[in-house]
Amino acid sequence: MAAMTIAKLAKMKAEGDKIASLTAYDASFSKLFSQHGVDFMLVGDSLGNVVLGASSTLPVTTENIAYHTRAVRNGAPEAFVIADMPFMSYATPEQACQEAATLMRAGANMVKLEGGDWLLDTIRQLVTHGVPVCAHLGLLPQSVNVLGGYKVQGKEASAAENTLRQALALQEAGAQMLVLECVPASLAKRITEQLSIPTIGIGAGKDCDGQILVMHDMLGLNSDYLPKFVKDFLAEAGDLAAAVELYVRQVKDGSFPGPEHSFKG
């Protein structure tokens, strides 16, 4: 299979082809995902929870992400890989450039940052220096202590308008993709329609250009707690390869996420 690129992902949005993505943390799973139709993989700071066993993503370091990015790249040499920039690794544009360089050298094709207006200068600097950026709005796990917990974002009209405004500003600054996490499906639809870059939803309804789930959630391995937006594809499919194929197929045909996996405004 030919290597995925940001240009191909943008073309998928333009042509209405849904994008199916998953988090990955090692070579074995990245190879499996690449072989069974996953369009791109995210080395998420969610590894703090699902790999390291921490209670949040905050303990994750750039070195942790780089280590797992190398593993994912080794398992899937042609895959499109996005690496999360962890908590406090992009407090200034200068720091962001240095930390992003570490992740790109480890094998990332793009880095992902959480936040809105305060990141605009940082995104401009990264793009100027050749680092593609995926932005992230809605629920921001790195800001969970400020947000007061894991709550749906953008439910009030003013908050929804602010999220839309920030999405447009992030695109203008140079972001080439946007993750929308835990926002009402109606808001995600508006943002997706107004942006020219792909939107990737997690708990953001079916109208985003693509979907992403934490692989452990998609496989039903987080038995302690499964968020509303998660479906256990392994239980339905019976084995790992079939579960990945089922997830990809249901994202592509629009049957996942359903209304039961989405939030209302």
Side-chain angles (χ1 to χ4, degrees):
M1 187 171 66
M4 180 59 73
T5 65
I6 189 61
K8 290 180 181 177
L9 292 168
K11 184 180 180 184
M12 290 176 73
K13 174 189 174 80
E15 296 180 350
D17 295 331
K18 294 290 188 180
I19 299 165
S21 57
L22 288 167
T23 65
Y25 314 96
D26 65 27
S28 297
F29 275 100
S30 68
K31 182 178 181 180
L32 176 74
F33 295 164
S34 181
Q35 290 176 338
H36 293 279
V38 174
D39 293 309
F40 76 81
M41 287 172 272
L42 169 68
V43 182
D45 59 3
S46 49
L47 70 86
N49 305 95
V50 297
V51 177
L52 302 179
S55 60
S56 74
T57 64
L58 302 189
V60 177
T61 66
T62 299
E63 290 70 28
N64 294 149
I65 299 286
Y67 175 93
H68 289 276
T69 298
R70 283 190 289 270
V72 167
R73 173 58 66 207
N74 288 341
E78 300 299 316
F80 193 86
V81 177
I82 303 176
D84 257 340
M85 295 195 69
F87 178 66
M88 288 300 289
S89 68
Y90 47 100
T92 66
E94 294 74 21
Q95 182 193 21
C97 288
Q98 293 174 354
E99 301 289 291
T102 297
L103 299 179
M104 297 294 283
R105 292 187 185 109
N109 300 103
M110 175 180 262
V111 299
K112 182 171 76 64
L113 303 82
E114 295 181 9
D117 293 332
W118 72 276
L119 277 177
L120 300 179
D121 286 342
T122 295
I123 291 172
R124 293 186 192 103
Q125 284 285 338
L126 287 167
V127 173
T128 297
H129 289 88
V131 179
V133 173
C134 176
H136 183 152
L137 289 174
L139 175 62
L140 309 177
Q142 292 176 15
S143 301
V144 65
N145 292 318
V146 174
L147 297 174
Y150 296 96
K151 302 175 181 177
V152 178
Q153 303 295 307
K155 294 183 72 173
E156 299 78 16
S158 59
E161 292 302 322
N162 190 46
T163 303
L164 172 58
R165 179 191 59 77
Q166 290 188 83
L168 290 164
L170 291 164
Q171 174 180 266
E172 179 66 23
Q176 291 176 282
M177 193 181 299
L178 174 65
V179 168
L180 293 169
E181 181 169 358
C182 289
V183 301
S186 57
L187 173 58
K189 184 176 189 290
R190 288 180 62 203
I191 293 172
T192 300
E193 290 172 347
Q194 293 198 39
L195 293 186
S196 59
I197 61 175
T199 61
I200 308 297
I202 177 168
K206 67 180 180 62
D207 293 305
C208 293
D209 298 305
Q211 301 293 327
I212 190 164
L213 286 177
V214 172
M215 56 165 277
H216 295 71
D217 289 344
M218 187 273 291
L219 297 172
L221 299 179
N222 263 348
S223 56
D224 291 343
Y225 170 70
L226 282 181
K228 172 185 172 72
F229 53 79
V230 169
K231 177 179 176 179
D232 183 347
F233 287 86
L234 181 57
E236 184 173 335
D239 66 60
L240 289 174
V244 176
E245 291 176 356
L246 180 63
Y247 168 72
V248 170
R249 184 166 66 252
Q250 292 195 355
V251 168
K252 300 283 187 184
D253 68 19
S255 59
F256 178 83
E260 69 274 23
H261 307 114
S262 305
F263 301 100
K264 295 181 179 179

